[in-house]
Amino acid sequence: MISDTDLYTSSSVASSVYSVGDLVEGSKGRRFRYVLNGASALVKGNLLQEAVEDTTYENMAIGTAGAVGDQYLQVTNGTATITSAQFVGGTVGVYTAGTVAVGDEYVITRVTGTLTTGGALKVWLDRPLRYAYTTSAKVNMRRSPYSGVIQMPATTPTGMPVGFAIYEIPAAEYGWILTHGEVTALSDGSTFAVGSAVGTPSGTAGAVTVYAAATTKMICGIARQAAASGKGIAIFATLD
């Protein structure tokens, strides 16, 4: 439990208290993140990653110029229909300057307008525009890493690891994952001992493996138990 919130439940409706990506401290030094699950139910003990990168939301056109003090940017949608909640908690940042400095960035609070392919999106911001945006600027819209979480792929990651499933959150529902502290995690068939750094990918979807330096690997915790293929082993997660 966190206050009056049960970590081992989920809801099809977003919390009125927590936003996607919120970090909370639990008991015994554990940390948890509030997430929106992706298209498949989670499996307890699985290592999770963010939603697969969608390049249609990169290098996006500014459809109508934005003035200093505006609370939103009008951005031309990519090649897919989105939901109003999909990008909440994510960011919009300048990719190609125009008259605005590259890297100017805002947190997305909601998205309205025409949500279908090529539509005019109103991307609402956590603060008023600091600079005037001309239509020559291009922006990236990024989902929160905790919006649309999925099982970590078996071989090549398609996003960064974000935490471990502690509950079978159904598809497209909201709930909690663990990002720091003691957790039981699925182990692959690698050989590693207590105290080993564990990471991903593993060769088994959702499983941890012994960490080895490589461009596609990232440490996600420390083993507190020797590897056991297909078993749930004790690890100390270090993602937050």
Side-chain angles (χ1 to χ4, degrees), residues 9-159:
T9 58
S10 63
S11 174
S12 59
V13 178
S15 169
S16 60
V17 177
Y18 300 102
S19 298
V20 169
D22 277 357
L23 174 68
V24 297
E25 296 281 345
S27 63
K28 315 265 187 245
R30 292 174 175 167
R31 296 173 190 161
F32 303 88
R33 291 272 188 178
Y34 189 65
V35 302
L36 171 61
N37 190 21
S40 299
L42 299 184
V43 177
K44 281 187 295 188
N46 270 200
L47 177 62
L48 308 173
Q49 73 154 52
E50 65 180 325
V52 177
E53 179 187 17
D54 190 341
T55 57
T56 193
Y57 298 105
E58 298 172 359
N59 197 24
M60 300 175 76
I62 298 294
T64 301
V68 173
D70 283 355
Q71 198 66 47
Y72 67 86
L73 278 172
Q74 197 266 287
V75 178
T76 303
N77 194 11
T79 57
T81 297
I82 69 170
T83 68
S84 57
Q86 191 170 336
F87 285 89
V88 172
T91 57
V92 58
V94 176
Y95 179 70
T96 301
T99 59
V100 187
V102 168
D104 190 40
E105 185 177 75
Y106 302 84
V107 174
I108 299 169
T109 59
R110 59 192 171 109
V111 180
T112 60
T114 305
L115 305 181
T116 52
T117 298
L121 303 176
K122 274 190 175 181
V123 181
W124 295 85
L125 314 173
D126 64 328
R127 68 186 75 87
L129 287 180
R130 293 177 287 255
Y131 309 97
Y133 274 60
T134 66
T135 54
S136 59
K138 298 293 181 66
V139 297
N140 292 333
M141 278 178 63
R142 304 293 297 178
R143 295 180 74 167
S144 164
Y146 307 99
S147 173
V149 300
I150 62 172
Q151 181 188 61
M152 178 64 73
T155 53
T156 303
T158 51

Side-chain angles (χ1 to χ4, degrees), residues 1 7 28 40 44-45 118 124 166 169-170 192:
M1 298 286 293
L7 294 167
K28 315 265 187 245
S40 299
K44 281 187 295 188
W124 295 85
I166 58 170
I169 302 174
F192 57 90

Side-chain angles (χ1 to χ4, degrees), residues 184-220:
T184 297
L186 178 66
S187 171
D188 77 345
S190 303
T191 300
F192 57 90
V194 173
S196 300
V198 293
T200 183
S202 67
T204 302
V208 297
T209 189
V210 62
Y211 172 76
T215 56
T216 58
K217 289 186 179 291
M218 178 178 173
I219 294 174
C220 58

